[in-house]
Amino acid sequence: MNQHSESSSQSEQPEQFEGPGQSEQPGQHDRPGQLAKPERPGRSGRPRPSVPTRPPTSAASSRPASSSHPALTAATTAGTAKGTEDDETAEARVTLRGPAELADALPYLLGFFPDDSIVLVGLHGERGRFGSRARLGIPTDRSQWGYVSEQLAGSLVSLGEERRSRPEGIIVYLCQEPARGESGWDVKERLRPLAQLLRVACGALDVPVLDALCISDGRFWSYCCPDFRCCPAVGTPLTPPGTSVMAAAAAYAGIQVRGSLRELESRLAAWTGPRAAGQTSALDAEAQALVPRMIEEGAAAPVREETLARASDLVRRFREDPPTGSRRARDACDDALLTDTEAARVILGLQDRVARDRAAEWMEGPDAEPSLRLWQALSRRCVGGYAEYAVAPLSLAGWVAWATGDQPSARVALGRALTLDPEYLFAQLLHRGINQGLDPETLRRCLREERDERDERADGASASGVVLASGRDSVPVLVDGPAAAPDLAPEAARPGGTGRGDGAERPAVPDGPGRAGRPGGSGRCGGSDRPGGPRGSTRPAARTSTGRGGRRSVRNGDRSRP
């Protein structure tokens, strides 16, 4: 199983959410004697508090506990989650009781609802804080379920051991919508063997599964609760969004739910249909013109400068015309700001790793938001046989999203990039950095230093390189800095002068977005948008003859595919 792809384990810091306290024994899921006596074991008649405008700073119960489920505590912290377990003033705690509130908490743990996914959530420390997570798409091949279960459980536990916080327990979620002719109950029964395999895999590592939930068709079922009074066979409806104490606590802490995984992926999916044909023609024409120049010795630098100049102009254009409306409407507005030819030129130019690394410098301030929109729009333009060319803009989109604090979107973009090319080093390093809970400021600081050094070079000498360029000695940049990795030496944060890129000179335009007009006839969202290239053209001989090898030769023979 490829540990870097979007279908890989995506574990995070265990500082944000909390689970069962020390008085509750993991694995005693069906032993009500371990808990205080509840008012009623059933669901009906349970009092529900009103949603507070500000979550309390002490532990607060959102529902009485059922007789067969331990109480779970979720803690959300405003800002970065750096508080200790005893720092009650910095955290707002909400007690979750039973599978209903566990199901309600899932989108807030991930930042999106995970369609067609297995999700494992680890419980850490004496209070069982919700922390490390692992997500994987549910394999369609049932013969892989056993292997996937072992790999996911092992990844979650090993990550906790590396961070000196081995999980005390695990919550399992299986999320899948019914196929045609199926009901939610059918999905639950079909996935029951997978739930059992996950429980066995976790138990083999001496980490009990406190609950395993199936979420489907707006309802949830518990595989661990035998009490039909609180977990009926027909399932239990999910809590309406925004009506729970967990939702209020998440809103107070600034945690956003960005829709579903399918919605996030759709924003990066390549075009199809008639408009894809025009973009393909433009890519064919530009590939025929640019690829020979990019692979010719001594001619790559001018192409690199042209790419950065064009991308800079497009970032300025995007910044001057911010979109409005729904996500789909905003994406349509962004698509209207690009012609097929402009998109093709930048997409091909970003296959040069140095140009890509220079473009990664637009990750903060007024450049960040329009840059992210541009990279997402270019990802949608990598159509047909140019699907792999989306890896560069997807990686840049993931980097900017991470740098601006949007980890869920960053994970989706990087996961999609690594699905297209699992060997792409730039995406691998970023994905690993997010999984290890690193602070993106470490990378931002390196990029700023590279830009400052380039600006200060008055003699025009060759640059010493780009920190994020391919090379094994680039890896320590990503593993240094965070408190979660205390064993790493600070001296390894920046490799010394070796393994750098070939270091292109500063382009003729100012570093950063430049000024450019809009494409002819394209207004804010309408007009004659996306004039395409010549139709009916064939794939250029330069690309056909080189294939994947051509892309590698563009990178000066670096076969690591950064």
Side-chain angles (χ1 to χ4, degrees):
M1 182 178 64
N2 180 9
Q3 61 178 348
H4 299 296
S5 67
E6 170 59 23
S7 62
S8 70
S9 64
Q10 297 185 347
S11 304
E12 296 191 14
Q13 305 178 56
E15 286 92 359
Q16 293 183 354
F17 298 92
E18 300 198 355
Q22 186 177 16
S23 62
E24 296 148 359
Q25 300 296 322
Q28 304 296 326
H29 186 80
D30 300 325
R31 299 183 185 179
Q34 299 291 331
L35 301 171
K37 185 177 180 180
E39 295 180 5
R40 288 188 61 182
R43 297 183 60 85
S44 60
R46 290 182 175 179
R48 290 189 60 115
S50 59
V51 179
T53 57
R54 180 185 177 97
T57 57
S58 60
S61 172
S62 61
R63 290 188 191 180
S66 68
S67 61
S68 58
H69 290 84
L72 302 172
T73 303
T76 57
T77 306
T80 56
K82 298 294 185 184
T84 63
E85 293 185 2
D86 297 326
D87 188 5
E88 296 289 343
T89 61
E91 296 182 346
R93 301 183 185 278
V94 179
T95 300
L96 305 180
R97 299 179 182 273
E101 285 146 355
L102 284 175
D104 175 63
L106 178 59
Y108 303 104
L109 294 172
L110 299 177
F112 56 87
F113 184 81
D115 306 286
D116 296 323
S117 297
I118 306 167
V119 180
L120 303 186
V121 180
L123 308 175
H124 298 262
E126 293 181 354
R127 293 182 176 177
R129 296 182 298 172
F130 281 111
S132 55
R133 284 101 78 184
R135 192 205 67 80
L136 178 70
I138 298 177
T140 55
D141 184 358
R142 299 180 60 146
S143 64
Q144 298 180 4
W145 285 3
Y147 170 76
V148 163
S149 299
E150 294 174 359
Q151 292 296 308
L152 272 179
S155 297
L156 197 68
V157 173
S158 62
L159 177 72
E161 291 174 343
E162 291 174 3
R163 298 174 63 87
R164 302 175 184 175
S165 179
R166 197 173 196 273
E168 302 290 337
I170 290 177
I171 306 295
V172 174
Y173 296 89
L174 299 179
C175 307
Q176 190 172 73
E177 290 303 301
R180 181 175 298 180
E182 273 191 326
S183 65
W185 186 89
D186 294 330
V187 174
K188 185 260 295 186
E189 289 300 311
R190 176 164 53 80
L191 297 180
R192 183 182 289 276
L194 176 57
Q196 183 61 26
L197 288 170
L198 288 164
R199 294 177 69 183
V200 171
C202 294
L205 299 172
D206 294 327
V207 183
V209 172
L210 273 67
D211 209 339
L213 303 178
C214 176
I215 301 177
S216 180
D217 198 22
R219 292 176 172 266
F220 70 87
W221 290 261
S222 172
Y223 291 111
C224 297
C225 179
D227 193 340
F228 287 96
R229 294 172 295 178
C230 63
C231 299
V234 295
T236 305
L238 294 171
T239 305
T243 62
S244 66
V245 175
M246 183 66 192
Y252 174 68
I255 299 174
Q256 300 180 18
V257 177
R258 295 168 175 80
S260 67
L261 176 62
R262 186 177 291 112
E263 291 170 349
L264 292 177
E265 289 179 333
S266 67
R267 304 192 69 188
L268 306 171
W271 284 356
T272 57
R275 60 181 180 175
Q279 184 62 65
T280 300
S281 298
L283 286 164
D284 287 342
E286 292 302 320
Q288 192 168 9
L290 288 180
V291 169
R293 296 175 58 194
M294 295 174 70
I295 64 178
E296 182 182 350
E297 185 176 359
V303 175
R304 185 179 304 141
E305 294 176 1
E306 293 170 8
T307 299
L308 291 170
R310 292 189 183 106
S312 176
D313 290 343
L314 291 174
V315 170
R316 174 62 63 89
R317 184 187 301 170
F318 274 57
R319 186 171 62 211
E320 292 177 348
D321 200 346
T324 58
S326 65
R327 289 180 179 176
R328 180 173 296 182
R330 295 198 301 270
D331 290 345
C333 289
D334 289 343
D335 291 338
L337 295 176
L338 279 172
T339 66
D340 289 346
T341 300
E342 288 173 330
R345 288 174 179 171
V346 178
I347 288 170
L348 289 163
L350 289 176
Q351 305 312 306
D352 181 295
R353 61 182 176 85
V354 178
R356 177 207 65 200
D357 294 340
R358 293 278 293 277
E361 295 174 0
W362 307 333
M363 76 297 188
E364 57 187 349
D367 297 343
E369 189 268 343
S371 296
L372 177 59
R373 290 164 48 204
L374 173 62
W375 308 141
Q376 290 173 337
L378 292 177
S379 301
R380 296 191 290 270
R381 300 286 189 124
C382 297
V383 297
Y386 293 90
E388 283 192 5
Y389 284 61
V391 179
L394 284 170
S395 299
L396 289 170
W399 160 237
V400 177
W402 182 29
T404 54
D406 186 358
Q407 278 201 18
S409 298
R411 289 181 177 281
V412 172
L414 294 173
R416 189 172 182 86
L418 289 168
T419 298
L420 292 171
D421 187 351
E423 300 176 1
Y424 200 74
L425 185 59
F426 184 48
Q428 284 181 356
L429 297 179
L430 294 174
H431 188 267
R432 189 180 308 157
I434 295 178
N435 281 351
Q436 293 179 351
L438 305 189
D439 186 351
E441 178 58 24
T442 303
L443 292 179
R444 286 196 295 260
R445 185 167 57 251
C446 291
L447 289 172
R448 293 189 205 107
E449 291 174 358
E450 288 291 335
R451 182 174 54 198
D452 293 343
E453 290 173 4
R454 190 170 61 250
D455 291 344
E456 292 173 358
R457 261 193 328 270
D459 57 358
S462 177
S464 59
V466 179
V467 171
L468 291 180
S470 175
R472 294 181 180 177
D473 54 352
S474 299
V475 176
V477 176
L478 278 171
V479 300
D480 174 64
D487 294 334
L488 296 176
E491 300 82 59
R494 182 110 182 240
T498 60
R500 303 264 185 132
D502 56 4
E505 296 146 355
R506 181 183 175 88
V509 298
D511 235 8
R515 184 177 301 277
R518 296 178 185 173
S522 67
R524 181 183 182 90
C525 294
S528 176
D529 58 346
R530 299 185 301 275
R535 296 182 179 275
S537 63
T538 58
R539 188 63 49 82
R543 184 172 187 273
T544 304
S545 61
T546 58
R548 293 174 61 94
R551 292 185 61 204
R552 293 177 180 173
S553 59
V554 170
R555 298 183 178 87
N556 301 325
D558 184 359
R559 302 186 65 86
S560 64
R561 308 287 307 276

